[in-house]
């Protein structure tokens, strides 16, 4: 069965609350050793799966383990390419979001081709000066790259706060759906 890309819509893409279950059901059995992690935003769905750790002898070095994991990830990517593309087309049609795949083997994570969405913002001079300093210092090649660097840095240093905020937003959404109790 062929799936076409959904026509571009206006506003928000369709609700994806059921996406983790749907995506998990669409993935062929045996690909991953545990249930995949599905990360969703307005633009993209990322499917993270864990691969079995390569079997190495007790005398294996850290470099051996890193090379074995890289080989395992590469082989998975090549062996499943067509099937992953087929599943991704179905997901993209159903949820009107791009799909990316990522795999984990041990402590190695690799995210395959994924979306880089443009974000427009207006900044006042003090904020622009921060970005220009990063560009002038060679930390970034452009204001856009400097802003992306800042966002990554904030994400790394405020991970728990962002997790708590997302959980609170989820609770607000649940309460909003329930509505006030009829008296």
């Amino acid at each position: 069965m062929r799936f076409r890309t959904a026509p571009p819509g206006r506003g928000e893409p369709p609700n994806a609350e059921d996406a983790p279950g749907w995506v998990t059901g669409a993935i062929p059995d045996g690909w991953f050793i545990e249930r995949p992690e599905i990360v969703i935003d307005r633009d993209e769905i990322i499917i993270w799966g864990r691969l079995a750790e390569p079997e190495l002898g007790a005398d294996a070095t850290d470099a051996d383990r890193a090379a074995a994991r890289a080989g395992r990830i590469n082989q998975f990517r090549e062996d499943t390419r067509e099937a992953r593309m087929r599943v991704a087309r179905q997901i993209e049609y159903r949820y009107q979001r791009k799909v990316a795949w990522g795999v984990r083997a041990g402590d190695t994570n690799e995210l395959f081709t994924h979306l880089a969405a443009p974000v427009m913002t207006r900044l006042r001079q003090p904020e622009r000066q921060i970005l220009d300093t990063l560009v002038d210092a060679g930390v970034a090649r452009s204001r856009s790259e400097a802003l992306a660097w800042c966002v990554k840095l904030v994400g790394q240093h405020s991970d728990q706060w962002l997790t708590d905020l997302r959980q609170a937003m989820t609770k607000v959404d649940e309460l909003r759906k329930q509505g006030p109790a009829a008296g």
Side-chain angles (χ1 to χ4, degrees):
M1 175 181 268
R2 289 188 66 104
F3 289 87
R4 63 179 174 78
T5 302
R10 297 193 185 265
E12 294 292 316
N15 186 308
E17 285 181 13
D18 67 341
W22 196 93
V23 170
T24 299
I27 293 173
D29 292 337
W31 274 12
F32 306 124
I33 60 171
E34 62 188 34
R35 182 183 173 133
E37 176 188 359
I38 314 300
V39 182
I40 304 166
D41 71 9
R42 293 180 187 109
D43 304 307
E44 184 175 33
I45 296 175
I46 299 178
I47 303 162
W48 282 101
R50 181 162 298 283
L51 303 176
E53 185 87 33
E55 299 270 340
L56 296 175
D59 59 340
T61 66
D62 288 343
D64 292 337
R65 281 189 276 288
R69 289 176 187 140
R72 174 68 48 92
I73 290 169
N74 184 66
Q75 196 60 50
F76 172 83
R77 186 175 190 178
E78 294 303 318
D79 289 348
T80 62
R81 183 180 312 276
E82 302 240 349
R84 283 185 298 106
M85 289 171 59
R86 193 170 41 256
V87 170
R89 281 192 299 271
Q90 294 173 38
I91 297 166
E92 288 174 358
Y93 180 78
R94 182 177 177 98
Y95 297 106
Q96 296 181 16
R97 292 166 173 86
K98 289 296 183 185
V99 173
W101 296 86
V103 292
R104 296 181 168 112
D107 61 359
T108 302
N109 301 319
E110 185 170 334
L111 183 59
F112 304 157
T113 305
H114 57 284
L115 186 63
V119 177
M120 179 68 97
T121 187
R122 295 183 185 279
L123 300 174
R124 301 208 184 278
Q125 188 180 41
E127 291 88 11
R128 293 192 312 267
Q129 287 176 334
I130 292 169
L131 299 180
D132 290 342
T133 299
L134 294 172
V135 172
D136 294 344
V139 172
R141 292 178 298 204
S142 65
R143 284 180 172 175
S144 176
E145 190 175 282
L147 186 56
W149 183 84
C150 291
V151 169
K152 286 178 190 173
L153 192 62
V154 168
Q156 289 171 357
H157 293 287
S158 58
D159 191 46
Q160 185 58 51
W161 180 80
L162 290 170
T163 298
D164 293 345
L165 184 61
R166 287 183 187 109
Q167 289 172 346
M169 290 170 21
T170 299
K171 182 65 176 170
V172 168
D173 286 344
E174 291 169 5
L175 291 171
R176 188 179 291 132
K177 287 177 189 170
Q178 291 174 5

